[in-house]
Amino acid sequence: MDRPEDRPEWRISDTPVPYDEALAAMEARVAEIRSGHARELIWLLEHPPLYTAGTSAKDRDLLQPARFPVHVAGRGGQYTYHGPGQRVAYVMLDLRRRRQDVRRFVSDLEEWTIRTLARFAVTAERRPGRVGVWVTRPDKPALFDGSPREDKIAAIGVRIRHWVSFHGISINVEPDLAHYDGIVPCGIAGHGVTSLVDLGLPVTLADLDVALAETFDQGFEVLTPSPA
């Protein structure tokens, strides 16, 4: 991305954004990007405590339905939690200018997350059959079959409309991890959830924002520049 017009706009919200408000803003921006009236957007924010249900969410995975508001997200995936101390990155990119390949886009989001966490000496990895990004926890007891415990540190859920993306990723910096007790995160039982602070790293949201910006250009290649 050499030309300024080929770079997405970056926006950071300093206070938690209500989920319905964020969803409406994304819907509007995606329509503007689609019509050529707005630049792509990376929106970094927090939400108040809430659960979201993706298109594959199962009722049995909502363990405490009265604990926090539950929102139907429209993205792929199952139940997840959002709340203060978690950095949500909503990614609104025009894949017509990049690669019209949904699997590649999801892989690029995973790689972006992994590169970002590596800035803090965290080895984060994919796991076959499990969505999200994971870290091995040798400091915790092994699972019943002797395999090492692994905790989820980042979730990914996207929606593509007319080849413009929205929703995106969430990375746990310092959320209240007990809030995950109300759901089976992403429908995956038997594993835990962690955060950068839970791993013993004194990372702030601002620190993570810098790392997200610095690692973004290593992926998401623009193949067709914007009109001059």
Side-chain angles (χ1 to χ4, degrees):
M1 292 187 185
D2 296 324
R3 305 190 313 167
E5 59 267 34
D6 289 332
R7 296 182 59 84
E9 174 190 349
W10 285 72
R11 179 186 303 168
I12 301 175
S13 294
D14 295 328
T15 57
V17 179
Y19 190 79
D20 288 342
E21 178 182 319
L23 189 59
M26 277 196 289
E27 293 271 1
R29 185 60 172 248
V30 165
E32 291 172 349
I33 294 169
R34 164 72 177 169
S35 66
H37 292 101
R39 286 168 59 193
E40 298 170 311
L41 174 65
I42 310 297
W43 187 11
L44 306 180
L45 52 81
E46 296 171 278
H47 286 303
L50 57 92
Y51 299 129
T52 64
T55 54
S56 301
K58 299 176 178 62
D59 290 344
R60 66 174 180 269
D61 291 336
L62 182 59
L63 306 178
Q64 300 174 16
R67 186 167 187 178
F68 296 123
V70 180
H71 296 266
V72 176
R75 55 158 175 79
Q78 301 188 43
Y79 281 105
T80 193
Y81 166 77
H82 295 310
Q86 179 193 76
R87 178 53 88 212
V88 176
Y90 286 137
V91 181
M92 287 156 268
L93 297 181
D94 187 348
L95 301 185
R96 296 169 300 177
R97 300 175 48 234
R98 298 169 186 275
R99 286 186 174 86
Q100 294 186 28
D101 183 333
V102 176
R103 289 186 180 182
R104 172 62 183 265
F105 177 62
V106 172
S107 177
D108 287 344
L109 289 173
E110 291 171 339
E111 283 298 325
W112 182 32
T113 304
I114 289 166
R115 288 194 304 269
T116 297
L117 292 170
R119 292 295 183 96
F120 306 102
V122 174
T123 301
E125 300 172 301
R126 299 178 179 87
R127 285 292 179 264
R130 284 191 251 146
V131 296
V133 175
W134 299 78
V135 294
T136 303
R137 299 301 303 270
D139 56 313
K140 291 187 174 182
L143 297 177
F144 69 93
D145 62 357
S147 60
R149 169 77 174 270
E150 295 179 338
D151 286 348
K152 189 173 187 176
I153 194 168
I156 296 173
V158 300
R159 186 174 181 182
I160 311 293
R161 178 179 295 157
H162 301 300
W163 290 110
V164 180
S165 69
F166 54 123
H167 297 280
I169 66 175
S170 60
I171 300 176
N172 289 339
V173 178
E174 193 178 8
D176 186 338
L177 296 178
H179 288 178
Y180 281 92
D181 294 345
I183 57 172
V184 178
C186 299
I188 301 170
H191 295 278
V193 181
T194 190
S195 68
L196 287 163
V197 170
D198 183 53
L199 293 174
L201 302 167
V203 178
T204 67
L205 289 171
D207 295 332
L208 186 69
D209 292 347
V210 170
L212 284 166
E214 290 178 346
T215 57
F216 180 83
D217 285 350
Q218 297 174 35
F220 307 102
E221 180 183 5
V222 174
L223 302 178
T224 305
S226 298

